[in-house]
Amino acid sequence: MTKVGVVGAGVMGTGVAQNLATSGHEVTLVDVDGATLSAALDRIGLECRMSRMLGGPELDADAVLARIGTGTELETLAESAVVIENITENWDLKARLYPRLDAACKDSTVFVVNTSAIPITKLAACTGRPDRVMGVHFMNPVPMKSACEFIPGYHTSEATKDTVRALLESMGKKPIPVNDASGFVSNRVLMLTVNEAAFLVHEGVADAATVDEVFRECFGHPMGPLETADLIGVDTILYSVEVLYEEFNDSKYRPCPLLKQMTAAGLHGRKSGKGFHSYSHA
């Protein structure tokens, strides 16, 4: 199996690492914060132990965790054949990271950008290996989702596409090819929906529970748009909408002030215990 590096131990990075390890890959999970790494391993162990109860396969938590090494330095990724980057959806942070990944990894290492909105070609230009950079928009929660968006940049080689496609298929994912444009397909639609739903609450048209009830009861959606925002992370929603606004210079992507206020207040959704709705655990 492939040695895979995972950068960022937040919600998405933890899910990617878990999915890789349960698929038999050797994983190196890297984050600047050791406490975040410890929490990620605890989360992965819990998810594995609960998998059967939640309708998933029976997993050996100890075996899965044994395949995951951790580190706080990018140099621990030196032997990785593929590195999947999952840090905050922020252009400045990502643009500073990729030259450091270039220096830390082998020339042959393929970089996978896990992003919901930032163009892949733009990020690939920050590296010395644009032909070995591929975009993949994983869906949350990663281990439970059967598909992802598969986004080559302008320079992405066929060999890189083949490598990443094979890795995704080994993880049980169907890669759905889309072209490189900010937001791709899913978030060009989803972020506008969530942003507009936030405006409804901001303007007092309806509260969050009512907005979500309309979508569940009238359209048969399993989750309303604001429940979805809480699952993804209200802060991540804001960053994604801001990227769309900056990339397209179109007022329809103007971020709702409520998203900004909630992000500043730490009301980030499920991961913080409160967002548009309240949750029993942080």
Side-chain angles (χ1 to χ4, degrees), residues 44-138:
I44 290 169
L46 178 63
E47 293 282 345
C48 289
R49 286 187 287 272
M50 294 182 62
S51 176
R52 184 76 177 270
M53 294 168 55
L54 297 174
E58 184 169 352
L59 298 172
D60 183 337
D62 292 336
V64 171
L65 289 170
R67 297 189 193 105
I68 304 175
T70 61
T72 56
E73 302 293 336
L74 294 179
E75 285 69 26
T76 57
L77 301 170
E79 297 305 313
S80 299
V82 178
V83 170
I84 302 176
E85 173 269 306
N86 311 269
I87 71 169
T88 303
E89 193 78 345
N90 177 286
W91 163 254
D92 290 335
L93 293 177
K94 287 184 184 284
R96 288 198 297 268
L97 173 64
Y98 277 89
R100 296 177 59 212
L101 283 175
D102 259 344
C105 297
K106 298 180 295 187
D107 290 343
S108 60
T109 301
V110 168
F111 294 160
V112 173
V113 185
N114 181 12
T115 176
S116 58
I118 298 175
I120 306 307
T121 303
K122 185 176 178 181
L123 273 172
C126 299
T127 78
R129 61 184 82 196
D131 60 313
R132 292 186 293 285
V133 177
M134 181 78 199
V136 175
H137 180 203
F138 288 95

Coordinates of all heavy atoms in Angstrom, one line a residue, residues 44-138:
I44 N -10.2 9.2 15.9 CA -10.1 8.1 14.9 C -10.4 6.8 15.7 O -11.2 5.9 15.2 CB -8.8 8.0 14.2 CG1 -8.7 9.2 13.3 CG2 -8.6 6.7 13.5 CD1 -7.3 9.5 12.7
G45 N -9.8 6.6 16.9 CA -10.0 5.4 17.6 C -11.5 5.2 18.0 O -12.1 4.1 17.9
L46 N -12.1 6.3 18.4 CA -13.5 6.3 18.8 C -14.4 5.9 17.6 O -15.3 5.1 17.7 CB -13.9 7.6 19.4 CG -15.4 7.8 19.8 CD1 -15.8 6.8 20.9 CD2 -15.7 9.2 20.3
E47 N -14.1 6.6 16.5 CA -14.9 6.3 15.2 C -14.8 4.9 14.8 O -15.8 4.3 14.4 CB -14.4 7.2 14.1 CG -14.7 8.7 14.3 CD -16.1 9.1 14.0 OE1 -16.8 8.3 13.4 OE2 -16.5 10.3 14.4
C48 N -13.6 4.3 14.9 CA -13.4 2.9 14.5 C -14.2 2.0 15.4 O -14.8 1.0 15.0 CB -11.9 2.6 14.5 SG -11.0 3.3 13.2
R49 N -14.1 2.3 16.7 CA -14.8 1.4 17.7 C -16.3 1.5 17.5 O -17.1 0.5 17.8 CB -14.4 1.7 19.1 CG -13.0 1.3 19.5 CD -12.7 1.5 20.9 NE -12.4 2.9 21.3 CZ -11.3 3.5 21.1 NH1 -10.2 2.8 20.7 NH2 -11.1 4.8 21.5
M50 N -16.8 2.6 17.1 CA -18.3 2.8 16.9 C -18.8 2.5 15.6 O -20.0 2.5 15.3 CB -18.6 4.3 17.3 CG -18.4 4.7 18.7 SD -18.9 6.4 19.0 CE -20.6 6.4 18.6
S51 N -17.9 2.1 14.6 CA -18.3 1.9 13.2 C -19.4 0.9 13.1 O -20.4 1.2 12.4 CB -17.0 1.5 12.4 OG -17.4 1.2 11.1
R52 N -19.3 -0.2 13.7 CA -20.3 -1.3 13.6 C -21.7 -0.8 14.1 O -22.7 -1.0 13.5 CB -19.8 -2.5 14.4 CG -20.8 -3.7 14.2 CD -20.6 -4.4 12.9 NE -21.5 -5.6 12.8 CZ -21.1 -6.8 13.2 NH1 -19.8 -6.9 13.6 NH2 -21.9 -7.8 13.0
M53 N -21.6 0.0 15.2 CA -22.9 0.5 15.8 C -23.6 1.5 14.9 O -24.8 1.6 15.0 CB -22.5 1.2 17.2 CG -22.0 0.2 18.3 SD -21.4 1.1 19.7 CE -22.8 2.1 20.1
L54 N -22.8 2.2 14.1 CA -23.3 3.2 13.2 C -23.6 2.7 11.8 O -23.9 3.4 10.9 CB -22.3 4.4 13.1 CG -22.1 5.1 14.5 CD1 -21.0 6.2 14.3 CD2 -23.3 5.8 15.0
G55 N -23.6 1.4 11.7 CA -24.0 0.7 10.4 C -22.9 0.5 9.5 O -23.1 0.2 8.3
G56 N -21.6 0.8 9.9 CA -20.5 0.6 9.1 C -19.8 -0.8 9.3 O -20.4 -1.6 10.0
P57 N -18.7 -1.0 8.7 CA -18.0 -2.3 8.9 C -17.3 -2.4 10.3 O -17.1 -1.3 10.9 CB -16.9 -2.2 7.8 CG -16.6 -0.8 7.6 CD -17.9 -0.1 7.8
E58 N -17.1 -3.6 10.7 CA -16.4 -3.8 12.0 C -14.9 -3.5 11.7 O -14.3 -4.0 10.8 CB -16.6 -5.2 12.5 CG -15.9 -5.4 13.8 CD -16.3 -6.7 14.5 OE1 -17.2 -7.4 13.9 OE2 -15.8 -7.1 15.5
L59 N -14.4 -2.6 12.5 CA -13.0 -2.1 12.4 C -12.2 -2.4 13.6 O -12.7 -2.3 14.7 CB -12.9 -0.6 12.1 CG -13.6 -0.1 10.8 CD1 -13.6 1.4 10.8 CD2 -12.9 -0.7 9.6
D60 N -10.9 -2.8 13.4 CA -10.0 -3.0 14.5 C -9.3 -1.7 14.8 O -8.4 -1.3 14.0 CB -8.9 -4.1 14.1 CG -8.0 -4.5 15.2 OD1 -7.8 -3.6 16.1 OD2 -7.4 -5.6 15.2
A61 N -9.7 -1.0 15.8 CA -9.2 0.3 16.1 C -7.7 0.3 16.3 O -7.0 1.2 15.8 CB -9.9 0.9 17.3
D62 N -7.2 -0.7 17.0 CA -5.8 -0.7 17.3 C -5.0 -0.9 16.0 O -3.9 -0.3 15.8 CB -5.4 -1.9 18.2 CG -6.0 -1.6 19.7 OD1 -6.2 -0.5 20.0 OD2 -6.2 -2.6 20.4
A63 N -5.5 -1.7 15.1 CA -4.8 -2.0 13.8 C -4.8 -0.7 13.0 O -3.8 -0.4 12.3 CB -5.4 -3.1 13.1
V64 N -5.9 0.0 13.0 CA -6.0 1.3 12.2 C -5.0 2.3 12.8 O -4.2 2.9 12.0 CB -7.4 1.8 12.2 CG1 -7.5 3.2 11.6 CG2 -8.4 0.9 11.4
L65 N -5.0 2.5 14.1 CA -4.2 3.5 14.7 C -2.7 3.1 14.5 O -1.8 4.0 14.4 CB -4.5 3.6 16.2 CG -5.8 4.3 16.5 CD1 -6.2 4.2 17.9 CD2 -5.8 5.8 16.1
A66 N -2.4 1.8 14.4 CA -1.0 1.4 14.3 C -0.4 1.8 12.9 O 0.8 1.9 12.7 CB -0.9 -0.1 14.4
R67 N -1.3 2.1 11.9 CA -0.9 2.5 10.6 C -0.7 4.0 10.5 O -0.3 4.5 9.5 CB -1.9 2.1 9.6 CG -2.1 0.6 9.4 CD -2.9 0.2 8.2 NE -3.3 -1.2 8.3 CZ -4.5 -1.6 8.6 NH1 -5.5 -0.7 8.9 NH2 -4.8 -2.9 8.7
I68 N -1.0 4.7 11.6 CA -0.9 6.2 11.6 C 0.2 6.7 12.5 O 0.2 6.5 13.7 CB -2.2 6.8 12.0 CG1 -3.4 6.3 11.2 CG2 -2.2 8.4 11.9 CD1 -4.8 6.8 11.7
G69 N 1.2 7.3 11.8 CA 2.3 8.0 12.6 C 2.0 9.5 12.6 O 1.2 10.0 11.8
T70 N 2.5 10.2 13.5 CA 2.3 11.7 13.6 C 3.6 12.4 13.7 O 4.6 11.9 14.0 CB 1.4 12.0 14.8 OG1 2.1 11.6 16.0 CG2 0.0 11.3 14.8
G71 N 3.5 13.7 13.4 CA 4.6 14.6 13.5 C 4.2 16.0 13.5 O 3.1 16.4 13.0
T72 N 5.0 16.9 14.0 CA 4.8 18.3 14.0 C 5.6 19.1 13.0 O 5.5 20.3 12.8 CB 4.9 19.0 15.4 OG1 6.3 18.7 15.8 CG2 3.9 18.4 16.3
E73 N 6.5 18.3 12.2 CA 7.4 18.9 11.2 C 7.1 18.3 9.9 O 6.9 17.1 9.8 CB 8.9 18.7 11.6 CG 9.3 19.2 13.0 CD 9.2 20.8 13.1 OE1 9.3 21.4 12.0 OE2 9.1 21.3 14.2
L74 N 7.2 19.2 8.8 CA 6.9 18.7 7.5 C 7.9 17.6 7.0 O 7.6 16.8 6.2 CB 6.9 19.9 6.5 CG 5.7 20.9 6.7 CD1 5.9 22.0 5.7 CD2 4.4 20.2 6.6
E75 N 9.1 17.7 7.6 CA 10.2 16.7 7.2 C 9.8 15.3 7.5 O 10.4 14.4 6.9 CB 11.5 17.1 8.0 CG 12.2 18.3 7.5 CD 11.5 19.6 7.8 OE1 10.7 19.7 8.7 OE2 11.7 20.6 7.0
T76 N 8.8 15.1 8.4 CA 8.3 13.7 8.6 C 7.6 13.1 7.4 O 7.3 11.9 7.4 CB 7.4 13.6 9.8 OG1 6.3 14.5 9.7 CG2 8.2 14.0 11.1
L77 N 7.3 14.0 6.4 CA 6.7 13.5 5.2 C 7.6 13.1 4.1 O 7.2 12.7 3.0 CB 5.8 14.6 4.6 CG 4.7 15.2 5.5 CD1 4.1 16.5 5.0 CD2 3.6 14.2 5.8
A78 N 8.9 13.0 4.4 CA 10.0 12.8 3.4 C 9.8 11.6 2.5 O 10.1 11.6 1.3 CB 11.3 12.8 4.0
E79 N 9.2 10.5 3.1 CA 9.1 9.2 2.4 C 7.7 9.0 1.8 O 7.4 8.0 1.3 CB 9.5 8.1 3.3 CG 10.9 8.1 3.8 CD 11.9 8.1 2.7 OE1 11.7 7.4 1.7 OE2 12.8 9.0 2.7
S80 N 6.8 10.0 1.9 CA 5.5 9.9 1.4 C 5.4 9.9 -0.1 O 6.0 10.8 -0.7 CB 4.6 11.0 2.0 OG 4.5 10.9 3.4
A81 N 4.7 9.0 -0.7 CA 4.5 9.0 -2.2 C 3.5 10.0 -2.6 O 3.6 10.6 -3.7 CB 4.1 7.6 -2.6
V82 N 2.5 10.2 -1.7 CA 1.5 11.2 -1.9 C 1.3 12.0 -0.6 O 1.3 11.4 0.5 CB 0.1 10.6 -2.3 CG1 -1.0 11.6 -2.5 CG2 0.3 9.7 -3.6
V83 N 1.1 13.3 -0.7 CA 0.7 14.1 0.4 C -0.6 14.8 0.2 O -0.8 15.5 -0.9 CB 1.8 15.2 0.7 CG1 1.4 16.2 1.7 CG2 3.1 14.5 1.2
I84 N -1.5 14.7 1.1 CA -2.8 15.3 1.0 C -2.9 16.4 2.0 O -2.8 16.2 3.2 CB -4.0 14.3 1.3 CG1 -3.9 13.1 0.3 CG2 -5.3 14.9 1.1 CD1 -4.9 12.0 0.6
E85 N -3.1 17.6 1.4 CA -3.1 18.9 2.3 C -4.5 19.2 2.6 O -5.4 19.3 1.8 CB -2.4 20.0 1.5 CG -2.4 21.3 2.2 CD -3.6 22.1 1.7 OE1 -3.8 22.3 0.5 OE2 -4.4 22.6 2.6
N86 N -4.8 19.5 3.9 CA -6.1 19.8 4.4 C -6.2 21.0 5.4 O -7.0 21.0 6.3 CB -6.6 18.6 5.2 CG -6.5 17.3 4.5 OD1 -7.4 16.9 3.7 ND2 -5.4 16.6 4.7
I87 N -5.2 22.0 5.2 CA -5.2 23.0 6.2 C -6.4 24.0 5.9 O -7.1 23.8 4.9 CB -3.9 23.8 6.2 CG1 -3.6 24.6 4.9 CG2 -2.7 22.8 6.4 CD1 -2.4 25.5 5.0
T88 N -6.5 25.0 6.8 CA -7.6 26.0 6.7 C -7.7 26.6 5.3 O -6.8 26.8 4.6 CB -7.3 27.1 7.7 OG1 -7.2 26.6 9.0 CG2 -8.5 28.1 7.7
E89 N -9.0 26.7 4.9 CA -9.3 27.3 3.5 C -9.0 28.7 3.5 O -9.8 29.6 3.4 CB -10.8 27.0 3.3 CG -11.2 27.2 1.8 CD -10.8 26.0 0.9 OE1 -10.0 25.2 1.3 OE2 -11.4 26.0 -0.2
N90 N -7.7 29.0 3.4 CA -7.2 30.4 3.4 C -6.0 30.4 2.4 O -5.0 29.7 2.6 CB -6.7 30.7 4.8 CG -6.1 32.1 4.9 OD1 -5.0 32.4 4.5 ND2 -6.9 33.1 5.5
W91 N -6.1 31.3 1.4 CA -5.1 31.4 0.4 C -3.7 31.7 0.9 O -2.7 31.0 0.5 CB -5.5 32.4 -0.7 CG -4.3 32.8 -1.5 CD1 -3.6 34.0 -1.5 CD2 -3.7 32.0 -2.5 NE1 -2.6 33.9 -2.4 CE2 -2.6 32.7 -3.1 CE3 -4.0 30.7 -3.0 CZ2 -1.8 32.2 -4.1 CZ3 -3.2 30.2 -4.0 CH2 -2.1 30.9 -4.5
D92 N -3.6 32.6 1.8 CA -2.2 33.0 2.3 C -1.6 31.8 3.0 O -0.4 31.6 2.8 CB -2.3 34.2 3.2 CG -2.7 35.5 2.5 OD1 -2.4 35.6 1.3 OD2 -3.3 36.4 3.2
L93 N -2.3 31.1 3.8 CA -1.8 30.0 4.6 C -1.3 28.9 3.6 O -0.3 28.3 3.7 CB -2.8 29.4 5.6 CG -3.1 30.3 6.8 CD1 -4.2 29.7 7.6 CD2 -1.9 30.6 7.6
K94 N -2.2 28.6 2.7 CA -1.9 27.5 1.7 C -0.7 27.9 0.8 O 0.2 27.1 0.5 CB -3.1 27.2 0.9 CG -4.2 26.4 1.6 CD -5.4 26.0 0.7 CE -6.5 25.3 1.4 NZ -6.2 23.9 1.7
A95 N -0.7 29.1 0.3 CA 0.4 29.6 -0.6 C 1.7 29.5 0.1 O 2.8 29.3 -0.5 CB 0.1 31.0 -1.0
R96 N 1.8 29.8 1.4 CA 3.0 29.7 2.2 C 3.5 28.2 2.4 O 4.6 27.9 2.6 CB 2.9 30.4 3.5 CG 2.9 31.9 3.4 CD 3.2 32.6 4.7 NE 2.2 32.3 5.7 CZ 1.2 33.1 6.0 NH1 0.9 34.2 5.2 NH2 0.4 32.8 7.0
L97 N 2.5 27.3 2.5 CA 2.8 25.9 2.8 C 3.5 25.2 1.7 O 4.4 24.4 1.9 CB 1.5 25.2 3.2 CG 1.6 23.7 3.4 CD1 2.5 23.4 4.6 CD2 0.2 23.1 3.6
Y98 N 3.0 25.4 0.4 CA 3.5 24.6 -0.7 C 4.9 24.7 -1.0 O 5.6 23.6 -1.3 CB 2.6 24.8 -1.9 CG 1.3 24.0 -1.8 CD1 0.2 24.5 -1.1 CD2 1.3 22.6 -2.2 CE1 -1.0 23.7 -0.9 CE2 0.2 21.9 -2.0 CZ -1.0 22.4 -1.4 OH -2.1 21.6 -1.2
P99 N 5.6 25.8 -0.9 CA 7.0 25.8 -1.1 C 7.8 25.0 0.0 O 8.8 24.4 -0.3 CB 7.4 27.3 -1.0 CG 6.1 28.0 -1.5 CD 5.0 27.2 -0.9
R100 N 7.2 25.0 1.2 CA 7.8 24.3 2.3 C 7.6 22.8 2.0 O 8.5 22.0 2.4 CB 7.2 24.7 3.6 CG 7.5 26.1 4.0 CD 6.8 26.5 5.3 NE 7.2 25.6 6.4 CZ 6.4 25.2 7.4 NH1 5.2 25.7 7.5 NH2 6.9 24.5 8.4
L101 N 6.5 22.4 1.5 CA 6.3 21.0 1.1 C 7.2 20.6 0.0 O 7.8 19.4 0.1 CB 4.8 20.8 0.7 CG 3.7 20.7 1.7 CD1 2.4 20.6 1.1 CD2 4.0 19.5 2.7
D102 N 7.4 21.4 -0.9 CA 8.4 21.2 -2.0 C 9.8 20.8 -1.4 O 10.4 19.8 -1.8 CB 8.6 22.4 -2.9 CG 7.8 22.3 -4.2 OD1 7.4 21.2 -4.5 OD2 7.7 23.3 -4.8
A103 N 10.2 21.6 -0.4 CA 11.5 21.4 0.2 C 11.6 20.1 1.1 O 12.6 19.4 1.1 CB 11.9 22.6 1.0
A104 N 10.4 19.8 1.7 CA 10.4 18.6 2.6 C 10.2 17.3 1.9 O 10.6 16.2 2.5 CB 9.3 18.8 3.6
C105 N 9.7 17.3 0.7 CA 9.3 16.0 0.1 C 10.2 15.6 -1.1 O 10.9 16.5 -1.6 CB 7.8 16.1 -0.4 SG 6.6 16.3 0.9
K106 N 10.1 14.4 -1.4 CA 10.9 13.9 -2.6 C 10.3 14.6 -3.9 O 9.2 15.0 -3.9 CB 10.7 12.4 -2.8 CG 11.2 11.6 -1.6 CD 11.0 10.1 -1.9 CE 9.6 9.7 -1.9 NZ 9.4 8.2 -2.0
D107 N 11.2 14.7 -4.9 CA 10.7 15.3 -6.2 C 9.6 14.5 -6.8 O 8.8 15.1 -7.5 CB 11.9 15.3 -7.2 CG 13.0 16.3 -6.8 OD1 12.7 17.2 -5.9 OD2 14.1 16.2 -7.3
S108 N 9.5 13.3 -6.5 CA 8.4 12.4 -7.1 C 7.1 12.5 -6.4 O 6.1 12.0 -6.9 CB 8.9 11.0 -7.2 OG 9.2 10.5 -5.9
T109 N 7.1 13.1 -5.2 CA 5.9 13.1 -4.4 C 4.7 13.9 -5.1 O 5.0 15.0 -5.6 CB 6.1 13.7 -3.0 OG1 7.1 12.9 -2.3 CG2 4.9 13.7 -2.1
V110 N 3.6 13.3 -5.1 CA 2.4 14.0 -5.6 C 1.7 14.7 -4.5 O 1.5 14.2 -3.4 CB 1.4 12.9 -6.3 CG1 0.1 13.5 -6.6 CG2 2.1 12.3 -7.5
F111 N 1.3 16.0 -4.8 CA 0.5 16.8 -3.8 C -0.9 16.8 -4.2 O -1.3 17.1 -5.3 CB 1.0 18.2 -3.8 CG 2.5 18.4 -3.3 CD1 3.2 19.5 -3.6 CD2 3.1 17.4 -2.5 CE1 4.5 19.7 -3.1 CE2 4.4 17.6 -2.1 CZ 5.1 18.7 -2.4
V112 N -1.8 16.5 -3.2 CA -3.2 16.5 -3.4 C -3.7 17.7 -2.6 O -3.5 17.7 -1.4 CB -3.9 15.2 -3.0 CG1 -5.4 15.4 -3.0 CG2 -3.5 14.1 -3.9
V113 N -4.4 18.6 -3.2 CA -5.0 19.8 -2.6 C -6.4 19.4 -2.2 O -7.3 19.3 -3.1 CB -5.0 21.0 -3.5 CG1 -5.5 22.3 -2.7 CG2 -3.6 21.3 -4.1
N114 N -6.7 19.3 -0.9 CA -8.1 19.1 -0.5 C -8.7 20.5 -0.2 O -8.5 21.1 0.8 CB -8.2 18.3 0.7 CG -9.6 18.0 1.2 OD1 -10.6 18.3 0.5 ND2 -9.8 17.5 2.4
T115 N -9.4 21.0 -1.2 CA -10.0 22.4 -1.1 C -11.4 22.4 -1.6 O -11.8 21.6 -2.4 CB -9.1 23.4 -1.8 OG1 -9.7 24.7 -1.8 CG2 -9.0 23.0 -3.3
S116 N -12.2 23.3 -1.0 CA -13.6 23.4 -1.5 C -13.8 24.6 -2.4 O -14.9 24.7 -3.0 CB -14.5 23.6 -0.3 OG -14.1 24.7 0.5
A117 N -12.8 25.5 -2.6 CA -13.0 26.7 -3.4 C -11.8 27.2 -4.1 O -11.9 27.9 -5.1 CB -13.6 27.8 -2.5
I118 N -10.6 27.0 -3.6 CA -9.4 27.6 -4.2 C -9.0 26.9 -5.5 O -8.8 25.7 -5.5 CB -8.2 27.6 -3.2 CG1 -8.6 28.5 -2.0 CG2 -7.0 28.2 -3.8 CD1 -7.6 28.4 -0.9
P119 N -8.8 27.6 -6.6 CA -8.4 27.0 -7.9 C -7.1 26.2 -7.7 O -6.1 26.7 -7.1 CB -8.2 28.2 -8.8 CG -9.1 29.2 -8.2 CD -9.0 29.1 -6.8
I120 N -7.0 25.0 -8.3 CA -5.9 24.2 -8.2 C -4.7 24.7 -9.0 O -3.5 24.7 -8.5 CB -6.2 22.8 -8.8 CG1 -7.5 22.2 -8.1 CG2 -5.0 21.8 -8.6 CD1 -7.4 22.2 -6.6
T121 N -4.9 25.3 -10.1 CA -3.8 25.8 -10.9 C -3.1 27.0 -10.2 O -1.9 27.1 -10.2 CB -4.3 26.4 -12.3 OG1 -5.0 25.3 -13.0 CG2 -3.2 26.9 -13.1
K122 N -3.9 27.8 -9.5 CA -3.3 28.9 -8.7 C -2.4 28.4 -7.6 O -1.3 28.9 -7.4 CB -4.5 29.7 -8.1 CG -4.1 31.0 -7.4 CD -5.3 31.7 -6.9 CE -5.0 33.0 -6.2 NZ -6.2 33.7 -5.7
L123 N -2.8 27.3 -6.9 CA -2.0 26.7 -5.8 C -0.8 26.0 -6.4 O 0.3 26.0 -5.9 CB -2.8 25.8 -5.0 CG -3.5 26.5 -3.8 CD1 -4.4 25.5 -3.1 CD2 -2.5 27.1 -2.8
A124 N -1.0 25.3 -7.5 CA 0.1 24.6 -8.2 C 1.3 25.5 -8.6 O 2.4 25.1 -8.6 CB -0.4 23.8 -9.4
A125 N 0.9 26.7 -8.8 CA 1.9 27.7 -9.2 C 2.9 28.1 -8.1 O 3.9 28.7 -8.2 CB 1.3 29.0 -9.8
C126 N 2.5 27.7 -6.8 CA 3.3 28.0 -5.7 C 4.3 26.9 -5.5 O 5.1 26.9 -4.5 CB 2.4 28.0 -4.4 SG 1.2 29.4 -4.4
T127 N 4.3 25.8 -6.3 CA 5.3 24.7 -6.2 C 6.2 24.7 -7.4 O 6.0 25.4 -8.4 CB 4.5 23.4 -6.1 OG1 4.1 23.0 -7.5 CG2 3.3 23.4 -5.2
G128 N 7.2 23.9 -7.2 CA 8.1 23.6 -8.3 C 7.7 22.4 -9.1 O 8.5 21.9 -9.9
R129 N 6.5 21.8 -8.8 CA 6.1 20.6 -9.5 C 4.6 20.7 -9.9 O 3.8 19.8 -9.5 CB 6.3 19.4 -8.5 CG 5.5 19.6 -7.2 CD 5.8 18.4 -6.2 NE 7.0 18.7 -5.5 CZ 7.7 17.8 -4.8 NH1 7.2 16.6 -4.7 NH2 8.8 18.1 -4.1
P130 N 4.2 21.7 -10.6 CA 2.8 21.9 -11.0 C 2.2 20.7 -11.7 O 1.0 20.4 -11.6 CB 2.8 23.1 -11.8 CG 4.1 23.3 -12.3 CD 5.0 22.7 -11.3
D131 N 3.0 19.9 -12.3 CA 2.5 18.7 -13.0 C 2.1 17.6 -12.0 O 1.4 16.6 -12.4 CB 3.5 18.1 -14.0 CG 4.8 17.8 -13.3 OD1 5.3 18.6 -12.5 OD2 5.4 16.7 -13.6
R132 N 2.6 17.7 -10.8 CA 2.3 16.7 -9.8 C 1.4 17.2 -8.7 O 1.5 16.8 -7.5 CB 3.7 16.1 -9.2 CG 4.4 15.3 -10.3 CD 5.7 14.6 -9.7 NE 6.7 15.6 -9.3 CZ 7.5 16.2 -10.1 NH1 7.4 16.1 -11.4 NH2 8.4 17.1 -9.6
V133 N 0.6 18.1 -9.1 CA -0.4 18.7 -8.1 C -1.8 18.4 -8.7 O -2.1 18.6 -9.8 CB -0.2 20.2 -7.9 CG1 -1.3 20.8 -7.0 CG2 1.1 20.5 -7.4
M134 N -2.7 17.8 -7.8 CA -4.0 17.4 -8.2 C -5.0 17.9 -7.1 O -4.7 17.9 -5.9 CB -4.1 15.9 -8.3 CG -5.4 15.3 -8.7 SD -5.7 15.5 -10.5 CE -7.5 15.3 -10.5
G135 N -6.1 18.4 -7.5 CA -7.2 18.8 -6.6 C -8.2 17.7 -6.3 O -8.6 17.0 -7.2
V136 N -8.5 17.5 -5.0 CA -9.6 16.6 -4.7 C -10.4 17.3 -3.6 O -9.9 17.7 -2.6 CB -9.0 15.3 -4.1 CG1 -10.2 14.4 -3.6 CG2 -8.2 14.5 -5.1
H137 N -11.7 17.4 -3.9 CA -12.6 18.0 -2.9 C -13.3 16.8 -2.2 O -14.3 16.3 -2.7 CB -13.6 18.9 -3.5 CG -14.5 19.6 -2.5 ND1 -15.8 20.1 -2.9 CD2 -14.5 19.8 -1.2 CE1 -16.4 20.5 -1.8 NE2 -15.6 20.4 -0.8
F138 N -12.7 16.5 -1.0 CA -13.4 15.4 -0.2 C -14.6 16.0 0.5 O -14.7 17.2 0.9 CB -12.4 14.9 0.9 CG -11.3 14.1 0.4 CD1 -10.1 14.7 0.1 CD2 -11.4 12.7 0.2 CE1 -9.0 13.9 -0.3 CE2 -10.4 11.9 -0.2 CZ -9.2 12.5 -0.5

